[in-house]
Amino acid sequence: VGNYKRTVKRIDDGHRLCNDLMNCIHERARIEKVYAQQLTEWAKRWKQLVEKGPQYGTVERAWCAFMSEAEKVSELHLEVKSSLMNEDFEKIKNWQKEAFHKQMMGGFKETKEAEDGFRKAQKPWAKKLKEVEAAKKAYHAACKEEKLAISRETNSKADPALNPEQLKKLQDKVERSKQDVLKTKEKYEKSLKELDNATPQYMENMEQVFEQCQQFEEKRLRFFREVLLEVQKHLDLSNAASYKNIYRELEQNIKTADAVEDLRWFRANQGPGMSMNWPQFEEWSADLNRTLSRREKKKASDGVTLTGINQTGDQVSQPNKHSSSLSVPSNTVQSVQSSYNPFEDEEDTGSTVSEKEDNKIKNVSSYEKNQSYPTDWSDEESNNPFSSTDANGDTNPFDEDTSPAMEVRVRALYDYEGQEQDELSFKAGDELTKMENEDEQGWCKGRLDNGQVGLYPANYVEPIQ
């Protein structure tokens, strides 16, 4: 009696298992989304690196094909995420809503119906069982009383102090006890027989309710199997024709790489086959001897002003693919990536990780394929900005400017590690003093609280209000 609770509890477990399955699919969908965003960010960054780097020709196109592959696979994983959430997740949610109905007083209608059905089927048999237990208790008590009376009678025969009247009373009690035992035994056997007669009907009624619970659970189990098969189809990209085409196209792009063709192109554009620009006589001009400042040297993409050369003829060179510089210290990229939490946004905003980081990442490569090279080939030339042979005679790059500047306190937004001796290093949240405003290359001059003076990227700090 009452052991049907385990069967009834299975209904509540079924509702909770629907929630568990939805949470499981939801987490997998978020992983697919984050992976797609990371693929897109990786493809964008490395496509810029390769295009701005020294690789050229058909091998460059083969290399870039990997980034195209990542972008296409990213789209497929976004489709997987969409299928998991819009189809599988919603299907479970709707099925759960249709299969389980909440009551005003709490619990589910299906649970109450099952419990009421079991209780109703069990009630008549449980009543007879209670009668059997009472009859058994009475019979056992009578047997105990009979045994006690017999024991007293036996002991009284050996006691000479008892008179015949007392002995007669003990014998009468033994007789009554035997009669009570017979009556209670008969009643006990009768109630047990009635219980046995009611057992088949009881079993039939209980099994009927149990089968109803079995059918309800069968629907859930079959539904789970159906949903899991659909999830498997959405996750399995091996059977997707578009997935196979991505790698077929990638293989074709790699096989089109031709070393002979690339060497021929380099000879015609960067080697002996390129148009020559021989030096010719030029009149002296004051502007020709202007020396580049230290900060202008830092801007590699601007190159160096050529002197004593007359630009004649058509210069053949590979066109610059990007007009903007794309170089940043590696630790800056790492710090940006580590600060991004892929599980913060629940909604699909359509933005990617790289779009959120565009305002933080200035450059991705300091070595560009169109980088200009110095024309002064003297082996005495030194690139040390602290050299005493600097044209303007400055031996200390941090000398204060003659013109006074308004000093402003600023706070670092990101970590920055100085890449050169004249650059500052600081952590996000550190405060420093800005001594000069931002120049054309986006650098400011500042002073740390320990007295160190140097340069830092202007967009890495914000004014303290």
Side-chain angles (χ1 to χ4, degrees):
V1 175
N3 280 337
Y4 59 81
K5 298 288 185 182
R6 292 172 293 183
T7 304
V8 175
K9 182 177 179 295
R10 193 172 57 175
I11 298 176
D12 294 333
D13 292 341
H15 184 273
R16 185 169 61 252
L17 287 169
C18 288
N19 290 333
D20 291 343
L21 184 56
M22 283 191 290
N23 290 335
C24 178
I25 292 176
H26 186 206
E27 287 185 16
R28 178 59 185 266
R30 295 171 77 178
I31 292 173
E32 295 289 337
K33 177 183 176 181
V34 172
Y35 178 54
Q37 291 176 335
Q38 291 177 340
L39 278 179
T40 302
E41 185 273 337
W42 174 85
K44 180 179 179 180
R45 186 164 59 89
W46 275 98
K47 189 174 183 180
Q48 292 173 337
L49 275 168
V50 174
E51 290 180 348
K52 299 296 290 185
Q55 185 57 60
Y56 55 88
T58 57
V59 174
E60 179 191 357
R61 290 196 295 272
W63 193 347
C64 288
F66 279 100
M67 277 62 89
S68 299
E69 172 266 344
E71 291 173 347
K72 294 175 183 177
V73 172
S74 173
E75 294 177 1
L76 288 178
H77 281 279
L78 285 177
E79 292 178 4
V80 170
K81 176 259 177 187
S82 178
S83 297
L84 291 175
M85 291 304 298
N86 296 336
E87 297 180 26
D88 303 327
F89 184 91
E90 288 297 323
K91 186 173 184 179
I92 301 171
K93 185 178 179 181
N94 293 332
W95 186 90
Q96 182 191 42
K97 187 176 180 180
E98 294 175 358
F100 299 91
H101 302 84
K102 289 187 177 181
Q103 298 184 119
M104 293 292 293
M105 302 301 292
F108 298 103
K109 177 184 176 183
E110 289 72 21
T111 303
K112 186 176 185 304
E113 288 178 350
E115 191 165 352
D116 290 346
F118 277 118
R119 189 183 294 112
K120 182 179 180 181
Q122 200 170 67
K123 187 175 181 180
W125 190 86
K127 183 178 180 181
K128 292 183 181 298
L129 178 64
K130 190 175 181 181
E131 293 174 356
V132 168
E133 292 293 333
K136 181 178 73 170
K137 186 177 180 182
Y139 169 66
H140 288 175
C143 291
K144 182 179 179 181
E145 188 66 26
E146 179 191 24
K147 183 179 179 181
L148 182 62
I150 293 174
S151 177
R152 288 175 179 173
E153 182 192 15
T154 304
N155 293 333
S156 66
K157 290 179 180 179
D159 187 1
L162 291 176
N163 55 41
E165 186 178 352
Q166 290 176 328
L167 185 61
K168 181 71 171 58
K169 289 182 179 180
L170 290 175
Q171 291 174 349
D172 291 343
K173 190 168 186 179
V174 169
E175 190 65 26
R176 287 197 306 270
S177 298
K178 288 182 179 180
Q179 292 177 0
D180 289 343
V181 167
L182 292 176
K183 290 180 181 179
T184 54
K185 182 179 179 181
E186 182 181 356
K187 189 175 182 181
Y188 178 28
E189 290 175 344
K190 182 180 178 182
S191 62
L192 194 60
K193 186 177 181 180
E194 291 177 355
L195 182 68
D196 291 340
N197 293 335
T199 298
Q201 183 64 38
Y202 161 66
M203 287 292 295
E204 181 181 347
N205 294 340
M206 290 291 287
E207 190 166 346
Q208 183 178 358
V209 181
F210 180 78
E211 285 301 321
Q212 293 175 356
C213 293
Q214 287 286 84
Q215 292 174 7
F216 185 81
E217 179 68 3
E218 182 184 11
K219 291 180 182 178
R220 185 190 68 82
L221 294 174
R222 290 185 180 278
F223 173 74
F224 269 39
R225 181 180 182 275
E226 176 187 345
V227 169
L228 292 174
L229 281 175
E230 293 183 6
V231 171
Q232 179 266 332
K233 291 178 182 178
H234 292 146
L235 293 176
D236 185 7
L237 296 177
S238 61
N239 293 326
S242 56
Y243 192 71
K244 296 179 181 179
N245 292 335
I246 290 174
Y247 292 98
R248 191 178 297 114
E249 182 181 343
L250 176 61
E251 181 182 7
Q252 293 173 353
N253 286 328
I254 296 174
K255 287 182 176 180
T256 56
D258 189 342
V260 175
E261 174 62 26
D262 291 353
L263 293 174
R264 186 185 298 117
W265 176 90
F266 193 86
R267 179 183 182 86
N269 292 274
Q270 304 291 341
M274 67 187 295
S275 299
M276 301 301 173
N277 195 358
W278 302 111
Q280 296 184 14
F281 178 80
E282 288 187 358
E283 289 293 343
W284 177 88
S285 172
D287 294 335
L288 291 179
N289 289 335
R290 183 178 66 86
T291 304
L292 292 175
S293 68
R294 174 173 49 81
R295 294 182 191 174
E296 289 173 331
K297 288 181 180 179
K298 293 173 68 65
K299 190 176 181 183
S301 60
D302 288 345
V304 179
T305 304
L306 300 177
T307 61
I309 296 178
N310 186 20
Q311 301 289 338
T312 60
D314 295 332
Q315 178 72 20
V316 179
S317 62
Q318 187 175 1
N320 190 355
K321 298 182 180 180
H322 291 274
S323 60
S324 60
S325 176
L326 295 164
S327 173
V328 82
S330 60
N331 64 319
T332 304
V333 178
Q334 293 171 359
S335 65
V336 172
Q337 290 174 343
S338 63
S339 64
Y340 169 66
N341 183 357
F343 297 105
E344 283 181 354
D345 61 321
E346 289 293 331
E347 301 296 330
D348 295 334
T349 59
S351 62
T352 63
V353 178
S354 57
E355 291 173 343
K356 297 177 181 179
E357 299 171 2
D358 280 346
N359 60 335
K360 300 179 182 178
I361 301 179
K362 279 177 53 183
N363 285 327
V364 291
S365 176
S366 60
Y367 184 58
E368 300 179 1
K369 76 174 58 174
N370 291 324
Q371 179 174 332
S372 301
Y373 299 90
T375 57
D376 192 349
W377 48 268
S378 171
D379 56 5
E380 297 179 359
E381 176 69 19
S382 172
N383 291 325
N384 186 357
F386 307 104
S387 173
S388 60
T389 60
D390 198 347
N392 57 15
D394 292 337
T395 59
N396 184 359
F398 302 131
D399 281 344
E400 297 290 342
D401 295 338
T402 56
S403 58
M406 180 69 68
E407 294 185 349
V408 179
R409 292 290 288 176
V410 294
R411 181 185 294 107
L413 293 171
Y414 320 108
D415 294 348
Y416 182 73
E417 187 72 24
Q419 303 299 302
E420 296 184 11
Q421 297 182 16
D422 60 340
E423 296 180 9
L424 297 177
S425 298
F426 45 76
K427 299 290 184 181
D430 289 352
E431 296 183 3
L432 59 151
T433 302
K434 182 174 74 171
M435 302 171 62
E436 291 182 7
N437 290 329
E438 179 181 355
D439 60 13
E440 297 178 354
Q441 288 77 41
W443 294 84
C444 286
K445 185 175 181 181
R447 181 177 65 250
L448 298 176
D449 290 343
N450 61 6
Q452 183 183 356
V453 179
L455 300 175
Y456 63 89
N459 59 349
Y460 273 57
V461 301
E462 64 176 357
I464 299 178
Q465 301 296 333

